[in-house]
Amino acid sequence: MCDPTDAIPAASTTPGLSRRGLLRYGAGALFGAGLVAASGLALATPASAYSWSRTLQQGMTGSDVKELQIRVAGWAADSASNTYVALDGDFGPGTYDAVRRFQSAYGLSADGIVGPQTQSVLNSLESSDGSTAHFDWSEFYSHDGSGFSGGKVDATTVKENVRRLMYKLEAVRKKEGNNSVTINSGFRSVAYNTSIYGYPTNSMHQYGIAADIVVSGVSTKTLYQIGERSGFSGLESYSHSWQHMDSRVEYPYGAQSWWWEDGTV
């Protein structure tokens, strides 16, 4: 459940032509049109770009496969489906299909093989501080000023969970038309979450695996439907002015059954 008192931040002044600013305000759309090179933007090789040491394909295993799975997790299905990309380091059929959807969305050859071109686009969604192209760590901090501390897991785990969430939200952003996504509520400390409800809960926000989002001009029903095909196992009703999305089934945090409050839409 989400916090109805969370205020939507006022729109900030559009930043200068930095890599992050360009991506946040729409340069990501250049990838789908194959215009990265023509734009003159060196977006494919950020300072901390992940070092892909080999071409990946179905049947392979390893930590690099797990990293791939994190980055394509938001491409879990073509239609509403109780499925997600397992982060198990095993390049199986689910990962293969997610890769093909990712490739198709970004104008690549949808062959399910993760070679230099696909790896370059995957890295273009990465920021030098470990966050992603269109999302900042600070957007997901607990609103009580505790950052990523004070949750139901340690701060390092929360931050990694948020990173994984960011990649899913990159997919949501791509699917809804590359409009800016506002994070109403990301991680919540236990104390802050309890202050909202007046009693302790097992909200997925306390683990860093949930976000309440708003996209100007995009209905919450549309966001809900995108969530149904983006590997999210927790979706609060689209009757609210925000859309809650979480990944409760992927993590051993005590809420491991699917919860789509409005059913399949």
Side-chain angles (χ1 to χ4, degrees):
M1 183 176 290
C2 310
D3 176 10
T5 67
D6 284 342
I8 300 174
S12 60
T13 302
T14 302
L17 296 182
S18 65
R19 176 179 182 275
R20 171 61 66 87
L22 280 163
L23 282 169
R24 182 175 298 282
Y25 287 88
L30 294 174
F31 295 115
L35 299 178
V36 175
S39 72
L41 300 174
L43 302 182
T45 54
S48 64
Y50 185 81
S51 297
W52 305 97
S53 61
R54 56 178 179 163
T55 292
L56 300 176
Q57 56 189 317
Q58 193 166 356
M60 290 183 167
T61 61
S63 60
D64 50 358
V65 173
K66 183 175 181 179
E67 183 62 29
L68 168 66
Q69 291 168 328
I70 289 169
R71 297 182 184 218
V72 300
W75 301 92
D78 288 315
S79 59
S81 178
N82 288 169
T83 189
Y84 62 91
V85 177
L87 308 183
D88 57 7
D90 186 349
F91 199 140
T95 302
Y96 171 80
D97 289 340
V99 167
R100 292 186 69 240
R101 294 183 191 101
F102 175 89
Q103 291 171 324
S104 180
Y106 284 90
L108 300 166
S109 176
D111 57 9
I113 298 173
V114 186
Q117 284 189 309
T118 299
Q119 291 166 0
S120 180
V121 177
L122 287 167
N123 278 4
S124 73
L125 294 176
E126 173 186 344
S127 264
S128 59
D129 65 355
S131 62
T132 64
H134 299 101
F135 298 98
D136 291 311
W137 294 118
S138 60
E139 294 178 88
F140 295 83
Y141 289 165
S142 181
H143 290 338
D144 62 355
S146 60
F148 290 146
S149 298
K152 290 204 168 187
V153 290
D154 64 84
T156 299
T157 300
V158 168
K159 188 172 183 179
E160 174 59 17
N161 288 346
V162 167
R163 184 180 80 92
R164 297 176 183 188
L165 175 60
M166 285 177 172
Y167 278 106
K168 278 192 173 181
L169 292 175
E170 287 286 353
V172 169
R173 189 184 192 278
K174 183 72 172 175
K175 294 172 187 179
E176 52 82 357
N178 285 314
N179 298 296
S180 184
V181 175
T182 296
I183 307 298
N184 270 14
S185 185
F187 167 68
R188 296 176 188 164
S189 70
V190 173
Y192 178 63
N193 193 75
T194 300
S195 75
I196 293 171
Y197 296 97
Y199 53 87
T201 77
N202 194 38
S203 168
M204 297 296 100
H205 288 278
Q206 297 168 108
Y207 302 96
I209 64 171
D212 304 339
I213 69 172
V214 173
V215 180
S216 179
V218 179
S219 71
T220 50
K221 181 176 182 179
T222 294
L223 295 176
Y224 185 104
Q225 290 171 316
I226 291 173
E228 290 178 307
R229 51 192 170 91
S230 300
F232 286 102
S233 45
L235 296 170
E236 190 174 20
S237 174
Y238 60 79
S239 62
H240 302 291
S241 59
W242 64 85
Q243 183 57 58
H244 170 96
M245 299 180 175
D246 71 53
S247 300
R248 61 185 58 208
V249 170
E250 296 174 50
Y251 296 88
Y253 296 147
Q256 293 177 274
S257 58
W258 289 81
W259 178 64
W260 290 359
E261 190 171 15
D262 288 333
T264 301
V265 178

